[in-house]
């Protein structure tokens, strides 16, 4: 890796990280590393927010007893039994911007045990790279598995998840968030009526909690860009790094780098860069590239990476109507929402 001062050439960032390092990176990053149950403030208008906060706190307290050695009372020839019973897995359903990721991160931060926090997209990439059997083996070593933004895009992933939930260690507590009820997963994406049994297995794996509320970001019906009147290059030159480096790249060069590396290694970019300047963002013609970019933005969101983007296009133009009406609609709209929050845009 090569950098000069506070600048790093994106081409010099190494993606040569081991699977073990990728697993070790499965945790809340800067945006959510300080999340606790105390700094999650439920909206008084929505009692379900109080309920899920208290449920997770109680669940954490129960899980803390998992590895406690049983106390031997009095004189006995018999070995004391551990009376720990794992709580039910929890599926948190709710719309965007009501603090689901905050609560999931707090659950991670407030526990001291073998644990992992990841987006469902990351989980998906691990399945495809390592295979289902290896993932079941690795995730079964955990006491706590936290999965953000659970979704099913196709029948293949439905079958993978059914096998995973059947075979993963039953002592591993799984908590997941989603924008879709378990009974609604996959609808409008594939013919779920052919997978009623499988969908039933997934739904029965969890205690489902519906959390209501309003988007704290107060999103508008149309995507709006934060457009700077400064020069893109002046902004880059004047940007002072606080901790890590800054980088500048052409959009085409960035997409080439993403296409040459596996998505679960994309975290190497925001882990090295606190600010990324992207020159020449254009609408996506290819769905695979759109999904690669989406996954990078997810990582940038978790790392709170500052994005500065030069483009002549509006946010609403980045993904075609066909893409936004595809099974990946929610993924891509989440990407637009996060760009809306993270990025400053510049015109040519």
């Amino acid at each position: 890796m090569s950098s000069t001062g506070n600048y790093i050439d994106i081409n010099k960032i190494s993606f040569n990280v081991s699977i073990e390092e990728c697993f070790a990176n499965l945790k809340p990053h800067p945006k959510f590393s300080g999340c606790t149950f105390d700094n999650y403030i439920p909206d008084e208008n929505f009692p379900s927010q109080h309920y899920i906060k208290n449920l997770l706190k109680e669940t954490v307290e129960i899980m803390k007893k998992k590895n406690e050695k049983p106390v031997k009372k009095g004189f006995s020839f018999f070995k004391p039994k551990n009376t720990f019973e794992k709580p039910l897995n929890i599926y948190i359903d709710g719309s965007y911007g009501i603090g689901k990721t905050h609560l999931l991160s707090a659950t991670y931060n407030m526990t001291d045990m073998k644990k992992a926090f990841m987006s469902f997209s990351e989980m998906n990439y691990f399945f495809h790279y390592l295979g289902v059997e290896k993932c079941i083996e690795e995730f079964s070593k955990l006491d706590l598995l936290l999965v953000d933004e659970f979704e099913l895009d196709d029948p293949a992933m439905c079958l993978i998840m059914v096998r995973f939930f059947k075979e993963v260690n039953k002592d591993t507590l799984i908590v997941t968030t989603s924008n879709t009820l378990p009974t609604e997963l996959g609808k409008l994406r594939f013919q779920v009526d052919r997978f009623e049994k499988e969908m039933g297995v997934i739904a029965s794996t969890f205690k489902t909690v519906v959390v209501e509320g309003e988007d704290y970001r107060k999103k508008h019906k149309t995507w709006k860009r934060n457009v700077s009147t400064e020069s893109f290059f002046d902004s880059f030159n004047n940007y002072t790094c606080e901790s890590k480096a800054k980088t500048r790249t052409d959009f085409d060069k960035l997409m080439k780098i993403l296409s040459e590396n596996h998505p679960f290694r994309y975290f190497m970019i925001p882990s090295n860069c606190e600010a990324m300047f992207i020159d020449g963002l254009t609408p996506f013609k290819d769905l695979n590239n759109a999904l690669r970019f989406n996954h990078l933005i997810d990582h940038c969101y978790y790392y709170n990476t500052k994005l500065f983007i030069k483009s002549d296009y509006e946010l609403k133009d980045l993904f075609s109507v066909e893409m936004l009406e595809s099974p990946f609609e929610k993924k891509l709209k989440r990407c637009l929402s996060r760009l809306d929050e993270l990025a400053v845009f510049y015109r040519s």
Side-chain angles (χ1 to χ4, degrees):
M1 193 182 308
S2 173
S3 63
T4 303
N6 286 324
Y7 171 74
I8 185 170
D9 184 341
I10 196 169
N11 286 300
K12 302 299 182 182
I13 293 177
S14 173
F15 292 87
N16 187 26
V17 289
S18 68
I19 293 296
E20 290 72 24
E21 289 175 286
C22 292
F23 273 113
N25 191 58
L26 297 177
K27 57 187 178 183
H29 294 296
K31 190 176 186 70
F32 297 101
S33 59
C35 291
T36 66
F37 293 122
D38 288 340
N39 59 28
Y40 175 79
I41 311 300
D43 188 329
E44 297 294 335
N45 296 311
F46 300 97
S48 56
Q49 294 187 17
H50 283 278
Y51 175 78
I52 190 59
K53 173 180 174 177
N54 291 332
L55 176 64
L56 290 172
K57 286 177 70 175
E58 292 167 4
T59 301
V60 164
E61 290 305 311
I62 295 172
M63 287 301 294
K64 287 178 180 178
K65 300 176 183 177
K66 179 178 180 181
N67 299 316
E68 288 182 357
K69 292 183 179 179
V71 178
K72 187 175 181 179
K73 295 183 178 179
F75 180 80
S76 173
F77 289 105
F78 300 102
K79 184 179 180 180
K81 293 182 179 180
N82 191 331
T83 57
F84 170 81
E85 288 187 18
K86 192 205 80 175
L88 293 173
N89 297 325
I90 301 173
Y91 188 108
I92 306 170
D93 172 70
S95 60
Y96 297 112
I98 59 173
K100 300 190 304 296
T101 303
H102 182 123
L103 288 166
L104 207 63
S105 301
T107 305
Y108 181 99
N109 295 334
M110 297 294 102
T111 52
D112 182 16
M113 57 186 63
K114 293 178 182 177
K115 56 191 175 180
F117 172 101
M118 72 189 83
S119 68
F120 183 72
S121 293
E122 285 178 291
M123 191 179 195
N124 193 342
Y125 286 128
F126 275 112
F127 280 133
H128 285 90
Y129 187 82
L130 294 177
V132 182
E133 189 171 326
K134 181 64 175 175
C135 284
I136 290 171
E137 177 187 335
E138 291 299 323
F139 293 137
S140 288
K141 298 174 184 177
L142 302 174
D143 297 309
L144 180 63
L145 175 60
L146 304 163
V147 184
D148 201 21
E149 305 288 1
F150 188 89
E151 54 200 7
L152 293 178
D153 295 323
D154 55 59
M157 184 48 60
C158 175
L159 297 174
I160 287 173
M161 293 314 303
V162 167
R163 181 182 171 190
F164 177 77
F165 290 136
K166 281 183 175 180
E167 298 183 21
V168 72
N169 189 340
K170 296 300 180 276
D171 286 336
T172 300
L173 176 69
I174 303 171
V175 182
T176 187
T177 69
S178 183
N179 299 305
T180 309
L181 282 166
T183 53
E184 301 292 317
L185 287 167
K187 286 193 174 179
L188 304 180
R189 303 184 186 199
F190 57 94
Q191 292 178 295
V192 292
D193 56 321
R194 296 184 180 181
F195 297 89
E196 287 184 8
K197 182 180 178 181
E198 289 80 5
M199 301 306 288
V201 170
I202 293 173
S204 65
T205 300
F206 298 95
K207 171 186 174 65
T208 300
V209 180
V210 178
V211 182
E212 298 176 318
E214 297 177 350
D215 187 345
Y216 73 92
R217 289 183 287 263
K218 304 296 183 184
K219 289 188 300 184
H220 301 288
K221 291 182 180 179
T222 57
W223 304 108
K224 295 186 177 181
R225 302 190 308 168
N226 177 13
V227 181
S228 174
T229 56
E230 294 182 274
S231 158
F232 175 78
F233 294 103
D234 285 345
S235 294
F236 171 75
N237 291 329
N238 295 332
Y239 182 86
T240 302
C241 297
E242 296 177 4
S243 55
K244 296 178 283 188
K246 61 183 178 182
T247 192
R248 190 182 76 218
T249 178
D250 294 330
F251 177 62
D252 290 341
K253 183 191 297 182
L254 173 64
M255 295 312 302
K256 184 173 186 296
I257 290 170
L258 296 184
S259 68
E260 291 172 347
N261 293 282
H262 199 281
F264 67 61
R265 293 189 170 105
Y266 288 0
F267 74 89
M268 292 304 296
I269 294 177
S271 69
N272 283 282
C273 305
E274 68 176 64
M276 182 161 56
F277 289 74
I278 303 171
D279 189 1
L281 176 67
T282 58
F284 289 90
K285 299 177 181 178
D286 177 79
L287 179 60
N288 285 332
N289 278 337
L291 293 174
R292 290 187 182 104
F293 183 74
N294 169 84
H295 194 60
L296 173 64
I297 298 304
D298 280 346
H299 278 299
C300 290
Y301 181 76
Y302 286 126
Y303 275 86
N304 226 8
T305 309
K306 297 177 178 66
L307 299 177
F308 302 87
I309 299 173
K310 184 179 174 186
S311 177
D312 289 328
Y313 297 89
E314 300 294 326
L315 274 175
K316 64 181 179 63
D317 299 324
L318 287 186
F319 306 122
S320 68
V321 173
E322 289 75 18
M323 290 180 187
L324 292 175
E325 292 179 350
S326 76
F328 304 99
E329 173 192 4
K330 289 187 178 180
K331 268 192 176 84
L332 299 177
K333 285 187 175 179
R334 185 171 70 239
C335 180
L336 293 176
S337 176
R338 289 176 171 177
L339 282 172
D340 199 36
E341 180 178 337
L342 293 175
V344 176
F345 286 84
Y346 301 79
R347 301 186 187 282
S348 298

